[in-house]
Amino acid sequence: QEDALYSIIILGASGDLAKKKIYPVLWSLFRDDLLPKNTSFVGYARSKLSIDDLRKSFQANCKIMKGEEEKFFAFIKNNLYISGSYDSSEDFKRLNESLNEREAKTNAGNRVFYLSLPPFVFDTATQHIRENCWGKTGWNRIVLEKPFGHDLESSRKLATHLNSLFTEEEIYRIDHYLGKELVQNLITLRFANRIFNPAWNNHNVASVMITFKEPIGTQGRGGYFDEYGIIRDIIQNHLMQIFCLAAMEKPVSLNAEDIRDEKVRVLRRIAPATIENSVFGQYLGNPTGKTEDEKMGYLDDPTVPKGSVTPTFAALVLKIDNERWEGVPWILRAGKALNERKAEIRVQFKKPDGDIMPGTGAKRDELVIRFQPNEAIYLKMMTKTPNSHFGMEETELDMTYSKRYEGVVLAEAYQLLFLEILRGRQIHFVRNDELEETWRIFTPLLHQIENEKVKPIDYEFGSRGPRDADRLLAENNFIYTGTY
Ligand code: BG6
């Protein structure tokens, strides 16, 4: 609608996520003219801040090129800040009045409520938003970030609460991995190419591994991390979203519900993860490390409870009990304080039947999709060594984005997700039943390691993680061939 107004309300505007991610992303969208005209930004938090304080809190995280200062000034002019608490109707009513005032001239006032808040205020804040701030002239959408509970039961409780206030169409659960270019490309690769689909099954695939590695430790956020651990922080959400897109059947259409139906369907065919099929690790400081972070072990972080057994590394195996995937191990592996930053999926194919070149060292074909950094899709395959008599070597069909799309800057996950929220498209957001299924898969394991205080294996900051994880890969038909 021509005269529609859009308000993006950031609850928790003075917090870390808002400063580091949300405001810088909003600025970049504004700068590139990607937002609908008539969009304004309304910060809400407890601290008493002026607009100038707010600007100072995030400006350093914004990329402002020469010549863009005026535009940045215009961006700041579109900002409003309201100080209020998360449990006061009065304060939320004030927020609403200010939104109404701005919308007085339109009959389409659209509101996005972005909750950049700690989980213990989710319930009250959402209640107040619904009761006091739900706009009457346009649409309203509510955006939430993990954690969505900490196990199946608490996640269900949150879902029941949210569903009593909002419809599923109004709820946007962010998993920022779904905003990454190469994660989204999984759908195109699999379903827009004839070549992959016939090979994408247990007749041809030996094993699949999805990896997340980070070369940083808790960096003082240990207190937060310790309540969750690597399974809740990375595997149950980010890696499972990649898993779903890689393993699901072809959706009926690109419609959000059709895609999410398929994700749920494949999740329902997975038995809960087990301790027998898992390896857990916790990092130790590296005395020769270059930074303080590297020197500090997980348990040396003063915000981590003494003697904590929370894993900072986990590798585990899931099996999908359906016609396509029966017998194929899916290995999920994630860790902090490792040797590098990397997120990728590796699909290892079986060797060809009826090998006519025995003894020549043919290796498995392997399709690698690297989500970050240095985004790439490459296929490791055998080829004849030039000029030899059927000598063979492994080579790569390599599509590295920086070469193939030289000069193209890939959008940041959050940029893309914000635009999707404004468009009202939920493809790249997590539906409640997906969330429930992923919790079902991990809750028994999480409860067991917590109840039995299962001790993780030590690994050194900057290493590849516990060696035992390599054993798990070998046991699950994954042949270690590279540097991962
Ligand atoms: C977040 C986790 O969800 O993802 C962090 O809470 C992690 O612990 C981050 O560092 C990784 O995101 P990315 O996009 O940098 O891979």
Side-chain angles (χ1 to χ4, degrees):
Q1 197 174 321
E2 261 302 288
D3 69 336
L5 286 183
Y6 299 82
S7 302
I8 300 180
I9 301 118
I10 302 111
L11 294 110
S14 60
D16 229 37
L17 181 70
K19 274 189 249 181
K20 287 193 184 141
K21 270 266 148 67
I22 309 308
Y23 278 108
V25 164
L26 291 176
W27 151 244
S28 69
L29 293 172
F30 180 87
R31 180 196 57 206
D32 299 342
D33 297 320
L34 293 171
L35 295 171
K37 67 176 175 48
N38 298 329
T39 301
S40 51
F41 317 99
V42 185
Y44 183 94
R46 271 184 307 232
S47 333
K48 293 217 169 358
L49 301 180
S50 66
I51 286 290
D52 210 44
D53 297 329
L54 182 70
R55 172 187 64 76
K56 281 186 199 139
S57 75
F58 65 76
Q59 183 165 354
N61 299 321
C62 295
K63 279 193 206 105
I64 308 164
M65 306 300 243
K66 255 200 164 32
E68 288 173 355
E69 297 81 2
E70 216 165 293
K71 194 135 196 195
F72 188 70
F73 183 68
F75 171 65
I76 298 299
K77 264 191 74 182
N78 273 3
N79 270 270
L80 216 73
Y81 179 83
I82 292 170
S83 141
S85 79
Y86 300 114
D87 55 6
S88 150
S89 321
E90 292 316 307
D91 291 353
F92 277 97
K93 282 192 178 123
R94 266 195 303 119
L95 170 61
N96 190 45
E97 275 157 28
S98 119
L99 294 170
N100 282 344
E101 227 168 84
R102 196 179 160 266
E103 291 167 359
K105 284 194 249 51
T106 178
N107 46 23
N110 301 320
R111 301 180 179 183
V112 174
F113 295 92
Y114 191 101
L115 264 67
S116 176
L117 293 173
F120 63 91
V121 287
F122 274 16
D123 277 11
T124 37
T126 46
Q127 184 100 30
H128 282 302
I129 290 170
R130 185 66 186 84
E131 280 168 13
N132 302 305
C133 302
W134 221 229
K136 305 227 166 17
T137 58
W139 49 251
N140 296 272
R141 294 178 186 145
I142 186 125
V143 187
L144 298 109
E145 294 251 3
K146 76 173 197 306
F148 304 114
H150 53 90
D151 59 8
L152 182 57
E153 201 190 328
S154 51
S155 164
R156 272 188 183 150
K157 222 169 128 225
L158 175 65
T160 308
H161 173 78
L162 293 175
N163 291 336
S164 75
L165 301 172
F166 314 109
T167 65
E168 195 59 30
E169 289 71 38
E170 289 168 333
I171 306 175
Y172 288 71
R173 291 181 200 81
I174 289 203
D175 182 310
H176 77 282
Y177 267 61
L178 289 177
K180 292 189 192 265
E181 178 64 32
L182 271 85
V183 174
Q184 296 188 354
N185 199 359
L186 280 167
I187 293 187
T188 311
L189 275 180
R190 288 192 57 202
F191 303 120
N193 290 302
R194 180 89 191 200
I195 191 165
F196 295 118
N197 195 41
W200 212 253
N201 54 42
N202 55 6
H203 299 295
N204 302 291
V205 173
S207 56
V208 185
M209 178 163 74
I210 306 173
T211 298
F212 167 95
K213 292 166 95 181
E214 234 178 15
I216 51 172
T218 51
Q219 297 187 312
R221 269 173 70 232
Y224 163 81
F225 184 87
D226 201 75
E227 285 178 40
Y228 295 93
I230 198 77
I231 296 179
R232 292 183 178 95
D233 193 42
I234 304 288
I235 298 182
Q236 178 262 346
N237 33 71
H238 304 327
L239 296 198
M240 285 309 282
Q241 286 301 326
I242 295 171
F243 168 90
C244 284
L245 295 172
M248 71 184 187
E249 298 298 315
K250 188 180 198 160
V252 175
S253 78
L254 277 188
N255 174 297
E257 299 320 322
D258 289 336
I259 292 177
R260 299 189 298 179
D261 283 349
E262 290 309 332
K263 288 161 80 180
V264 172
R265 234 168 251 162
V266 72
L267 289 170
R268 285 177 57 195
R269 300 305 301 170
I270 301 174
T274 64
I275 201 155
E276 293 74 28
N277 254 333
S278 312
V279 171
F280 305 108
Q282 192 183 68
Y283 67 89
L284 300 172
N286 179 353
T288 61
K290 284 188 218 76
T291 61
E292 279 314 301
D293 192 40
E294 286 172 20
K295 286 185 186 137
M296 212 198 298
Y298 182 67
L299 293 179
D300 305 326
D301 179 337
T303 63
V304 169
K306 292 228 160 344
S308 163
V309 290
T310 300
T312 60
F313 174 101
L316 47 87
V317 183
L318 299 178
K319 298 263 174 70
I320 309 167
D321 182 19
N322 69 9
E323 202 173 2
R324 184 184 292 274
W325 292 117
E326 164 130 35
V328 178
W330 286 70
I331 303 155
L332 273 53
R333 204 171 57 131
K336 297 225 163 225
L338 296 175
N339 57 335
E340 59 182 346
R341 173 170 144 88
K342 190 181 274 184
E344 64 179 17
I345 180 168
R346 303 184 92 94
V347 181
Q348 288 198 345
F349 293 91
K350 295 177 179 172
K351 285 193 197 173
D353 294 330
D355 188 2
I356 55 166
M357 303 177 185
T360 45
K363 292 182 180 161
R364 287 177 173 180
D365 294 339
E366 189 177 40
L367 178 68
V368 185
I369 301 167
R370 190 162 61 228
F371 305 112
Q372 67 188 35
N374 192 13
E375 291 82 351
I377 300 167
Y378 57 95
L379 181 64
K380 297 176 94 167
M381 52 185 269
M382 302 310 296
T383 186
K384 180 174 164 297
T385 307
N387 304 329
S388 73
H389 177 71
F390 293 110
M392 260 198 290
E393 61 189 45
E394 188 179 52
T395 189
E396 287 169 10
L397 277 178
D398 182 353
M399 191 183 109
T400 296
Y401 273 53
S402 59
K403 284 199 202 118
R404 174 60 183 82
Y405 295 106
E406 200 181 334
V408 175
V409 180
L410 296 180
E412 249 194 72
Y414 276 92
Q415 288 176 318
L416 206 135
L417 294 177
F418 257 109
L419 295 178
E420 292 292 278
I421 295 164
L422 290 166
R423 289 182 188 121
R425 220 161 40 194
Q426 292 187 302
I427 297 176
H428 308 300
F429 297 86
V430 182
R431 204 169 64 186
N432 189 37
D433 48 355
E434 287 175 64
L435 187 63
E436 167 140 359
E437 285 300 327
T438 54
W439 277 123
R440 176 190 62 73
I441 293 165
F442 294 105
T443 295
L445 177 67
L446 286 163
H447 284 177
Q448 187 180 1
I449 58 178
E450 280 150 16
N451 293 339
E452 296 175 10
K453 298 210 178 315
V454 174
K455 203 169 152 14
I457 302 168
D458 293 338
Y459 64 95
E460 191 166 277
F461 202 127
S463 69
R464 292 183 48 250
R467 288 279 140 195
D468 258 44
D470 291 343
R471 176 191 50 77
L472 190 75
L473 307 193
E475 283 171 7
N476 284 284
N477 206 5
F478 191 89
I479 297 178
Y480 180 85
T481 59
T483 55
Y484 28 88

